[in-house]
Amino acid sequence: MTHKSLLTADARIKKRNAAEARFKAYGLGAIIIAMLALSLLLTSVVSTGSSAFKQTYATVSVPLTEAKLDKSGTRDLAVMKKVTTIGYTSLLRDGMVAAVEELGLDTTLSAKDIGGMLSKEAAATVRNRVLANPDIVGTSVMFKLLTNGRIDGYFKGRVTMESAALDGNTSPEELQLAQELADAGVIATTFNWAFLTAPDASDQRPEAAGLGVAILGSLYMMIIVLVLALPIGVAASIYLEEFAPKNRWTDVIEVNISNLAAVPSIVYGILGLAIFINFMEFNQSSPMVGGLVLTLMTLPTIIISTRASLKSVPPSIRDAALGVGASKMQSVFHHVLPLAAPGILTGTIIGLAQALGETAPLLLIGMVAFVREYPAAYTADAGLFGEASTALPVQVFNWTQRADPGFVERASGAIITLLIFLLIMNAIAIFLRRKFERRW
Amino acid sequence: MSVSLILALGLAVLGYVIAPRRALAVAGGDARTLAALPRQYGLNALLAVLVPSFAILIAGTLAGAGAYLGWTILVVAVVGFAGSLFKITPDYRARTHAENWIKLILIAASVVAILTTVGIVFSMLFEARNFFSQYDWKDFFLSAEWSPNFRGNSSLGILPLLWGTLYISFIALVFAVPIGLFAAIYLSEYASRRMRSVTKPAIEILAGIPTIVYGLFALVTVGPFLRDYFAAPMGFGGSASSVMTAGLVMGVMLIPFVSSLSDDIINAVPQTMRDGSLALGATKSETIRQVVIPAALPGIVGATLLAASRAIGETMIVVLGAGAAARLSLNPFEAMTTVTVKIVSQLTGDTDFASPETLVAFALGMTLFVITLCLNVLALLIVRKYREQYE
Amino acid sequence: MKDTPMTNAKISAKGVDVHYADTHAIKDVNVEIADKTVTAFIGPSGCGKSTFLRCINRMNDTIDSCRVTGDIRIDGEDIYDAKVDPVQLRAKVGMVFQKPNPFPKSIYDNVAYGPKIHGLARNKAELDEIVEKSLRKAALWNEAKDRLLSPGTGLSGGQQQRLCIARAIATAPEVLLMDEPCSALDPIATAQVEELIDELQKSFCVVIVTHSMQQAARVSQKTAFFHLGSLVEYDDTDKIFTNPEDPRTESYISGRIG
């Protein structure tokens, strides 16, 4: 046998080490691609969406002419309601024109175009205020009003002079005037609370669209999921983990649960549509149906994680309890369950987070509908959580289907909101796990 | 009905309060002579009213029985109440009985999972049957044309939809499986502890992001990018929605799924196996390629099948990224559509619910369910078998 | 070779210390192990004998927190030299583990694995020859020759361990390390493996870790007694078992400690 020195690498070793380095580089490459994808995804969403949290407003004095708003002069609401938003539009135009003239700004724009710089929503804002307080009719009142989506886009960098020249809905002159108004302090961009509280708005007014109804709807559904899925999931897990005999029947349940966890979510939507809406005649688009569907979807997740936490409680604890004469049920409820509680809670929060982001099944049960009314938790007509609503992720989808480019910003903004909620939930889950984690 | 529910609830609370006193009275005031603690008599009474009443309520609602439901509940509640009170003697084992009621509740909860499956199967079978009574099944499964027409006389062939689904899933898997697998290998075999502690949670973040976010990413960023830099310059077409867009984004979504499953599987290969190979003078990569991966192969195949089932059932990414045109084409930069996209579009329009154009969604859903179910069961069996090998 | 020690030892260790995260597992071990002998490491559990064994083929490299200092030479070459590739070292220093760990491959592929990765065979015929030779040396040929293509995991425990030995000697090592190779085997399989070790001594430098003193007495010529991470006594096996110098060795072999 030839003696080879260990101190010199032969050609074969060099080749093998090169292969080793290559293999390692593939692994590192895979990680880098995954990280790149994550950061690309997040920057894409944040860069298009963060501007949704800012909004451009014009603060103008609007002359609330009595002749237009209350011809009878009686301040009778029934009569005043007959004046629609169209009636208010001319007043807004007058207000805007006055503001421009007062500042001595020079523009070639017509009065109509100047008035058009405000959002179509602005008239409704003024009208609502007037109807709430008829006494202000006849005076001039300062209003903080939404500008239209193009002006808003200009201040957020989405709309430029070049793009405005090609756009039928605005013009470089309008943007020029808006810039001058902004310099004078009439137009300003501020934090957009309305995005989180206002309801959705129609196709032509992305600047007014908000997430209020969607957040409320999602909240209702999360309540339903929590109230139903947690106790049912925990009870089922206790039975399967602690009491069920190991036989064919429980094996069926077990395989069934792991399968349910992998059933495409849209199938749950079909279930909801067929069973809850068509057969049991719950209200379409209602948080109740959405909550039930999401409950069924979340249940397997909760069961799987709860069983894992029950399993991690060592048998010696059960034996100790049985040893002092506790019944099986007592040993589970007095000892095992409290010890497993942090794990169960963590699993539940993660299940809820999953449910919060779920979209497809909700589309099928009609939650894509355009809803402007805040749904009530209970009404005599619609029952518990029975009023039409929408949900955060569905609202995102809804906005992606609209033509106005302003809605892309809204959709991304809604996603940021959704991700923040998810982040908070996951942070709580991680915190709980860290705080109560026990190693046996 | 709500009146009798409230009455039943009242009876339950009443039983909970009265039963312990009655038990004490029967025992002559000395709780030690009783077969159970006084409050366990109360618990038994409470459950003896509540469990049967709720069982009747749920069964009745599901069966659609309206008129006599309230009365039935009331009768059952009274019987439970009276029974639990009259049976109290010093020898009555209230705890055992109460625990039997609790066990019944636990069993009922685990049956919910079964009911869900039954509900899924029935809801789709029922409506799909309606569909096939109006539309020939051969045309559905074997026709290559999909052109629904709301005035009737539509062609509803599933083949172009299946093609789109499989094509997109294929691209997604080709992207996700190697990357996920290599990421898992790197993290479990090479990465330092520090790197692992940063990278692993980051990859898990990808798993926690809702699919609608991926969908928007496809629509706003990936689609236009692929169109402007690949499809259009290379003459493949000018559509932002495409098989490639949806496939790539879905691939990103699947990376954490594949990597965490592979991670579990690779870690299940015993360390002694690695040591055996290293001690023979194999390099780490030789050990991984020739010992660890062959040993983990069944598990990895199972994980890939699970990922495939996910890809096939994924909805929001394809709704926003793939397009709506049913097409049998090989060009990956062309817009195509999938089974899930059509389920959504056929069920969200304002159409007549009895028309085949709407009902076809249930037949599509059933096909989807059957395909994913087969993949899942197969994957579960493989993975289960694999795990048993090393336990 | 320049700084070869003046002894004819195959393996020589000087001042070897091993630390895991914050435990000092091996303390200043000095030992010289001769070629073509069986050397046994004995001692109570946790005394560091296995850890020291794993230093000789640098298997401790695979444990992140493990730090080895001191000087270990094989044929006079420092195996912890930066220029030494552990891969090359391990081809020269084979190892057999406590629990039989055949790969989930066929018997043939198990044995052929080492020669394949090291490129020891130029063609299939040579590979066949290496496999047969190794299986013969491991006294497994007669039992395995008709089922070379069936999985190695299907063999009995003792056969699996002999398969692992065949696998180790197939790469033509010069040193063979055995880490309690019989602790997972029944008495009959143990006897077979011990017999084999006796045979292997003719061609290899065998180092065996065992917690069975009888086994050490049966198979080895030299014995090293480890206690609490230190090498307490190292001498001829006969001497250790009949007339140990250190009182700790005596208490151990008479069954008072460990």
Side-chain angles (χ1 to χ4, degrees):
Chain A
M1 184 181 291
T2 53
H3 261 282
K4 276 193 285 184
S5 168
L6 289 172
L7 294 171
T8 50
D10 60 25
R12 189 175 170 83
I13 286 283
K14 279 183 191 147
K15 224 173 95 191
R16 286 170 64 198
N17 282 341
E20 169 79 16
R22 267 201 309 279
F23 189 81
K24 205 170 157 182
Y26 295 150
L28 197 59
I31 302 260
I32 290 172
I33 291 177
M35 292 300 107
L36 217 59
L38 175 65
S39 50
L40 208 63
L41 176 70
L42 292 181
T43 42
S44 147
V45 167
V46 170
S47 66
T48 45
S50 57
S51 57
F53 293 92
K54 288 184 298 180
Q55 193 64 46
T56 310
Y57 292 93
T59 311
V60 282
S61 166
V62 179
L64 302 170
T65 329
E66 187 169 17
K68 288 237 168 119
L69 301 182
D70 187 15
K71 280 183 195 135
S72 63
T74 54
R75 302 289 185 270
D76 179 357
L77 275 179
V79 178
M80 286 172 69
K81 272 185 184 159
K82 286 192 180 133
V83 182
T84 61
T85 49
I86 300 166
Y88 285 82
T89 310
S90 59
L91 298 180
L92 294 179
R93 186 183 63 214
D94 295 348
M96 280 297 282
V97 171
V100 172
E101 280 168 0
E102 195 179 311
L103 289 167
L105 298 175
D106 200 25
T107 178
T108 55
L109 290 172
S110 68
K112 182 165 173 287
D113 285 344
I114 296 176
M117 288 169 68
L118 290 176
S119 163
K120 293 194 169 65
E121 188 71 17
T125 313
V126 175
R127 181 170 178 266
N128 288 343
R129 187 99 78 84
V130 168
L131 292 178
N133 183 12
D135 293 336
I136 56 176
V137 172
T139 61
S140 279
V141 179
M142 288 300 271
F143 282 96
K144 192 178 162 197
L145 299 167
L146 285 167
T147 60
N148 77 31
R150 297 302 192 281
I151 304 289
D152 182 43
Y154 171 68
F155 286 105
K156 291 170 179 172
R158 192 175 68 237
V159 175
T160 60
M161 290 297 177
E162 291 79 43
S163 75
L166 305 170
D167 189 340
N169 289 324
T170 189
S171 61
E173 290 75 29
E174 266 186 37
L175 299 186
Q176 181 63 39
L177 181 60
Q179 185 60 56
E180 284 162 18
L181 284 170
D183 293 341
V186 174
I187 287 179
T189 306
T190 59
F191 187 80
N192 188 9
W193 283 112
F195 181 59
L196 296 175
T197 55
D200 194 7
S202 63
D203 283 13
Q204 282 89 42
R205 41 188 99 164
E207 64 277 6
L211 287 171
V213 173
I215 291 177
L216 200 59
S218 281
L219 178 72
Y220 287 166
M221 290 195 288
M222 288 307 105
I223 292 173
I224 296 170
V225 174
L226 186 65
V227 165
L228 290 179
L230 181 60
I232 296 179
V234 170
S237 313
I238 290 178
Y239 178 69
L240 292 173
E241 198 57 41
E242 306 282 342
F243 292 99
K246 292 276 164 274
N247 58 24
R248 239 196 143 69
W249 170 240
T250 47
D251 210 43
V252 167
I253 298 188
E254 218 148 292
V255 171
N256 181 43
I257 287 172
S258 17
N259 267 319
L260 280 179
V263 166
S265 61
I266 192 160
V267 168
Y268 284 94
I270 296 180
L271 168 83
L273 179 62
I275 303 277
F276 295 130
I277 294 177
N278 286 354
F279 180 68
M280 291 167 80
E281 298 179 346
F282 282 108
N283 294 340
Q284 221 183 354
S285 317
S286 67
M288 190 47 142
V289 176
L292 287 175
V293 169
L294 294 180
T295 299
L296 293 183
M297 253 188 66
T298 317
L299 212 47
T301 315
I302 294 186
I303 292 180
I304 289 170
S305 72
T306 302
R307 291 189 61 182
S309 354
L310 289 175
K311 213 176 265 172
S312 72
V313 177
S316 60
I317 301 278
R318 296 173 182 82
D319 294 345
L322 295 177
V324 297
S327 67
K328 178 94 188 151
M329 194 69 75
Q330 286 171 323
S331 84
V332 171
F333 278 90
H334 295 170
H335 300 283
V336 179
L337 200 54
L339 289 173
I344 296 174
L345 226 56
T346 313
T348 306
I349 295 173
I350 288 170
L352 277 181
Q354 225 177 54
L356 181 62
E358 197 50 67
T359 321
L362 302 182
L363 297 182
L364 298 196
I365 58 162
M367 293 195 99
V368 265
F370 178 70
V371 183
R372 264 189 74 84
E373 302 296 320
Y374 296 99
Y378 180 84
T379 58
D381 271 350
L384 197 60
F385 298 122
E387 287 200 320
S389 170
T390 174
L392 257 180
V394 187
Q395 190 69 68
V396 174
F397 171 74
N398 212 335
W399 284 341
T400 61
Q401 303 300 301
R402 308 239 178 117
D404 193 305
F407 279 110
V408 173
E409 168 207 280
R410 298 279 145 168
S412 300
I415 279 183
I416 295 176
T417 316
L418 178 64
L419 289 180
I420 289 173
F421 280 126
L422 292 180
L423 201 67
I424 293 171
M425 290 167 88
N426 281 302
I428 294 173
I430 291 170
F431 172 76
L432 284 176
R433 188 158 50 195
R434 291 263 162 88
K435 176 138 194 197
F436 296 105
E437 192 176 49
R438 211 185 276 261
R439 292 232 174 262
W440 302 98
Chain B
M1 197 182 79
S2 44
V3 176
S4 41
L5 269 184
I6 292 169
L7 281 176
L9 216 63
L11 275 179
V13 173
L14 195 66
Y16 185 70
V17 175
I18 290 180
R21 294 171 190 221
R22 197 177 136 75
L24 268 181
V26 170
D30 185 358
R32 286 174 303 174
T33 60
L34 284 169
L37 295 176
R39 63 183 166 83
Q40 288 164 341
Y41 288 90
L43 186 63
N44 183 37
L46 180 87
L47 292 170
V49 176
L50 284 189
V51 176
S53 319
F54 266 89
I56 297 284
L57 174 69
I58 292 168
T61 319
L62 285 180
Y68 300 104
L69 193 55
W71 285 108
T72 323
I73 291 175
L74 204 57
V75 169
V76 167
V78 169
V79 169
F81 177 74
S84 63
L85 282 188
F86 281 125
K87 274 190 227 152
I88 295 176
T89 63
D91 297 329
Y92 183 66
R93 297 185 176 277
R95 200 201 63 219
T96 321
H97 287 90
E99 287 183 354
N100 283 339
W101 287 121
I102 295 178
K103 205 160 157 185
L104 221 55
I105 298 176
L106 300 184
I107 292 174
S110 59
V111 168
V112 171
I114 295 280
L115 286 180
T116 308
T117 309
V118 173
I120 288 174
V121 171
F122 267 82
S123 59
M124 290 196 296
L125 269 186
F126 184 73
E127 302 286 6
R129 209 193 55 192
N130 281 346
F131 170 69
F132 286 119
S133 69
Q134 296 179 43
Y135 194 88
D136 188 12
W137 66 269
K138 274 180 268 168
D139 288 342
F140 175 70
F141 284 113
L142 301 175
S143 158
E145 196 192 341
W146 174 274
S147 52
N149 182 346
F150 285 112
R151 287 181 299 278
N153 219 354
S154 316
S155 302
L156 300 170
I158 195 176
L159 290 183
L161 311 186
L162 269 184
W163 169 248
T165 305
L166 295 179
Y167 199 178
I168 291 171
S169 306
F170 175 74
I171 289 180
L173 289 177
V174 164
F175 184 70
V177 171
I179 291 181
L181 190 57
F182 266 109
I185 288 173
Y186 189 84
L187 286 181
S188 63
E189 309 276 339
Y190 287 107
S192 66
R193 190 184 295 261
R194 252 185 66 148
M195 179 171 181
R196 212 172 11 236
S197 71
V198 176
T199 321
K200 245 187 155 170
I203 290 183
E204 274 164 24
I205 289 179
L206 278 175
I209 292 176
T211 55
I212 179 78
V213 183
Y214 286 101
L216 193 77
F217 183 51
L219 181 76
V220 174
T221 311
V222 179
F225 174 81
L226 286 180
R227 179 192 58 204
D228 297 343
Y229 293 93
F230 290 93
M234 286 168 15
F236 280 124
S239 169
S241 301
S242 70
V243 170
M244 198 48 115
T245 305
L248 281 183
V249 173
M250 202 189 280
V252 174
M253 178 199 83
L254 290 177
I255 289 175
F257 189 72
V258 175
S259 85
S260 76
L261 281 175
S262 315
D263 193 48
D264 289 352
I265 287 156
I266 289 170
N267 284 330
V269 176
Q271 183 62 34
T272 57
M273 209 88 96
R274 290 183 180 79
D275 285 349
S277 173
L278 292 174
L280 285 172
T283 62
K284 246 179 173 177
S285 65
E286 284 162 351
T287 304
I288 294 163
R289 272 183 309 175
Q290 301 190 28
V291 176
V292 176
I293 293 195
L297 197 61
I300 292 170
V301 170
T304 308
L305 288 181
L306 279 181
S309 141
R310 270 233 164 161
I312 289 171
E314 172 50 41
T315 308
M316 295 322 293
I317 294 177
V318 285
V319 165
L320 293 174
R327 198 176 272 143
L328 277 164
S329 155
L330 275 174
N331 180 358
F333 291 102
E334 217 166 335
M336 279 179 225
T337 197
T338 69
V339 174
T340 48
V341 171
K342 287 302 158 194
I343 293 177
V344 170
S345 67
Q346 298 313 102
L347 284 178
T348 48
D350 292 320
T351 52
D352 173 14
F353 206 81
S355 71
E357 287 76 20
T358 307
L359 290 175
V360 69
F362 291 92
L364 291 174
M366 206 175 66
T367 317
L368 181 71
F369 180 69
V370 170
I371 294 175
T372 53
L373 186 74
C374 291
L375 283 173
N376 293 340
V377 171
L378 195 62
L380 280 175
L381 286 179
I382 293 177
V383 171
R384 215 188 231 199
K385 217 170 184 127
Y386 166 74
R387 286 196 185 284
E388 277 164 6
Q389 184 189 334
Y390 293 118
E391 256 164 21
Chain C
M1 270 163 221
K2 10 187 188 48
D3 48 11
T4 312
M6 285 310 104
T7 58
N8 61 347
K10 185 76 180 168
I11 307 165
S12 76
K14 278 204 197 78
V16 176
D17 282 77
V18 179
H19 294 261
Y20 290 111
D22 46 357
T23 51
H24 194 173
I26 294 281
K27 296 164 192 157
D28 189 30
V29 167
N30 298 288
V31 72
E32 303 221 316
I33 297 171
D35 203 1
K36 311 276 194 273
T37 54
V38 177
T39 305
F41 291 173
I42 60 167
S45 326
C47 66
K49 54 192 193 296
S50 287
T51 302
F52 182 66
L53 190 75
R54 291 168 69 96
C55 291
I56 300 174
N57 68 344
R58 291 185 57 175
M59 277 301 279
N60 283 331
D61 289 16
T62 59
I63 300 162
D64 284 341
S65 63
C66 182
R67 210 152 36 76
V68 180
T69 54
D71 187 65
I72 302 179
R73 285 167 190 273
I74 293 182
D75 292 335
E77 292 180 321
D78 181 4
I79 62 168
Y80 279 87
D81 191 293
K83 279 184 291 207
V84 171
D85 193 326
V87 165
Q88 223 169 341
L89 168 70
R90 289 175 196 146
K92 191 168 172 174
V93 184
M95 187 167 191
V96 175
F97 295 84
Q98 196 168 352
K99 252 179 75 186
N101 55 351
F103 303 133
K105 298 168 180 278
S106 70
I107 295 175
Y108 182 93
D109 285 339
N110 261 285
V111 182
Y113 177 72
K116 266 191 203 159
I117 54 175
H118 293 295
L120 298 184
R122 267 166 303 191
N123 51 43
K124 179 86 169 73
E126 275 187 29
L127 192 61
D128 288 349
E129 199 190 310
I130 293 176
V131 170
E132 183 180 338
K133 221 171 73 192
S134 311
L135 282 170
R136 276 190 196 284
K137 268 196 189 160
L140 194 61
W141 176 250
N142 288 333
E143 291 150 83
K145 64 174 180 236
D146 298 326
R147 46 194 287 203
L148 286 176
L149 297 181
S150 56
T153 42
L155 296 169
S156 75
Q159 287 172 328
Q160 285 192 13
Q161 194 62 302
R162 277 180 282 148
L163 176 62
C164 293
I165 293 173
R167 188 175 70 185
I169 58 188
T171 58
E174 294 164 27
V175 178
L176 203 53
L177 308 176
M178 299 185 145
D179 189 0
E180 305 195 21
C182 300
S183 64
L185 304 182
D186 61 53
I188 294 173
T190 301
Q192 285 172 330
V193 172
E194 281 180 7
E195 207 176 308
L196 175 59
I197 293 172
D198 214 38
E199 200 58 37
L200 293 172
Q201 168 211 336
K202 291 175 191 154
S203 8
F204 305 100
C205 166
V206 179
V207 184
I208 177 169
V209 163
T210 174
H211 58 229
S212 151
M213 283 173 285
Q214 290 85 346
Q215 186 171 59
R218 282 196 297 265
V219 300
S220 70
Q221 286 86 51
K222 291 275 219 172
T223 295
F225 171 62
F226 283 80
H227 186 57
L228 299 175
S230 311
L231 177 62
V232 175
E233 195 169 346
Y234 175 52
D235 216 325
D236 289 340
T237 302
D238 293 341
K239 173 113 190 319
I240 294 269
F241 281 96
T242 51
N243 185 19
E245 270 168 23
D246 196 286
R248 284 172 294 177
T249 316
E250 209 212 321
S251 340
Y252 180 70
I253 56 173
S254 60
R256 267 177 282 150
I257 56 172

